[in-house]
Amino acid sequence: MKLPIFIADAFTARAFRGNPAAVCLIENKLDEDLHQQIAREMNLSETAFIRKLHPSDNFTEKNVNSTLTFVTLSGELKARRAEDDIVLDFPLYPAHPQDFHEVEDLIKTAIGDTLVQDIRYSPDTRKLLVRLSDTYDRSFLENLKVNTGNLLQVENTGKVKGLILTLKGQPGGQTQAFDFYSRYFAPWVGVAEDPVTGSAHTVLSSYWSQELGKKEMRAFQCSCRGGELKVSLRPGGRVDLRGGAAVVVEGTLTA
């Protein structure tokens, strides 16, 4: 069996940055074991298998700017082209104030005595948002050593499945201005640090929109690969996450 396969770097316009994902085009359903074997072979945090639900579907240049709906294990995902970018339509998840003492051990294990300005928790996504002090800058967040190895040993009772570290943005000056920065860690689901995380920005967008009084924002995830997102809050509790994509591998998988 030969299957078309691509590796695309998302939320970037440059190869070898952003979030790498494998995309495998299939005509018919595959066994779940084969899905897992292909994903392990790709050795990436995301491997997507795309199949037409209706044989008449025709994704050509004629409708490349229309909205495509993907039925996923996490629900429907809508995507559309906007100039050279891809726009993903996500729900917006609120984050509520979190008592520091309830998560003190987790935070101390992860970042030691780093100064914390605010802590929020999103019950919908089970993500803990930790805002670092405004006295820090982007380079501090980028260079911060986060101890993910010991987080699984901290008593958690399954409440937290993802840790977001975030920082208020700074004026542009000679560099591009961003409204906020972030990093994301999820060792509870096997991801020490994710390069760029769409789901984390469904929480970050809600939080920073309230903090900054803005519905249009620019965000940068400060992983070693780095990724840029444009955020647009919409009525009805939705958010558009917009970013570039660079295809770096195009080939055929033999299974």
Side-chain angles (χ1 to χ4, degrees):
M1 179 170 52
K2 295 184 180 296
L3 303 171
I5 194 161
F6 307 83
I7 295 178
D9 293 339
F11 299 114
T12 180
R14 297 165 51 193
F16 315 126
R17 295 183 64 82
N19 196 12
V23 181
C24 189
L25 305 184
I26 59 178
E27 292 291 335
N28 302 298
K29 285 186 177 180
L30 302 179
D31 292 338
E32 182 60 28
D33 285 347
L34 185 55
H35 278 163
Q36 296 299 326
Q37 290 170 1
I38 293 173
R40 283 193 293 270
E41 189 74 12
M42 293 300 99
N43 196 30
L44 297 170
S45 57
E46 287 91 9
T47 300
F49 298 87
I50 297 181
R51 176 175 60 90
K52 295 178 183 179
L53 291 181
H54 307 288
S56 59
D57 289 339
N58 184 25
F59 303 148
T60 65
E61 290 295 327
K62 294 180 181 178
N63 57 13
V64 72
N65 290 319
S66 62
T67 298
L68 303 181
T69 300
F70 299 90
V71 179
T72 77
L73 295 177
S74 301
E76 286 192 353
L77 173 64
K78 295 183 183 294
R80 68 181 188 275
R81 175 78 65 84
E83 298 176 341
D84 293 330
D85 293 337
I86 304 295
V87 181
L88 301 178
D89 174 3
F90 280 99
L92 193 66
Y93 292 116
H96 308 290
Q98 169 66 50
D99 183 83
F100 173 73
H101 297 292
E102 293 182 9
V103 291
E104 181 178 4
D105 289 345
L106 188 152
I107 294 174
K108 293 288 188 182
T109 298
I111 59 175
D113 293 326
T114 302
L115 298 178
V116 172
Q117 184 155 329
D118 197 5
I119 307 171
R120 302 293 178 99
Y121 178 70
S122 164
D124 298 293
T125 65
R126 290 198 283 180
K127 291 176 174 32
L128 182 69
L129 183 154
V130 178
R131 176 180 174 181
L132 305 186
S133 168
D134 288 350
T135 59
Y136 297 129
D137 60 11
R138 169 178 167 174
S139 64
F140 178 88
L141 179 59
E142 289 176 330
N143 295 314
L144 181 63
K145 303 298 182 184
V146 179
N147 182 1
T148 58
N150 292 335
L151 283 177
L152 296 180
Q153 310 306 318
V154 179
E155 181 62 32
N156 183 22
T157 65
K159 177 178 179 177
V160 176
K161 290 296 185 181
L163 173 64
I164 303 170
L165 300 183
T166 188
L167 186 67
K168 185 178 179 181
Q170 298 140 341
Q174 294 182 342
T175 61
Q176 189 173 24
F178 292 98
D179 293 287
F180 62 89
Y181 305 110
S182 68
R183 290 175 68 185
Y184 181 72
F185 309 87
W188 301 274
V189 294
V191 179
E193 180 171 5
D194 198 36
V196 193
T197 317
S199 64
H201 282 81
T202 64
V203 179
L204 284 161
S205 300
S206 175
Y207 175 78
W208 283 112
S209 175
Q210 293 179 9
E211 291 294 303
L212 302 175
K214 301 174 71 172
K215 295 185 180 299
E216 304 283 335
M217 294 172 287
R218 297 182 65 90
F220 187 84
Q221 191 156 331
C222 298
S223 65
C224 61
R225 293 177 63 98
E228 299 180 17
L229 304 91
K230 299 173 185 175
V231 175
S232 298
L233 274 69
R234 305 200 333 263
R238 308 290 298 183
V239 59
D240 282 342
L241 302 180
R242 175 173 173 170
V247 176
V248 295
V249 173
E250 181 176 353
T252 302
L253 183 144
T254 303

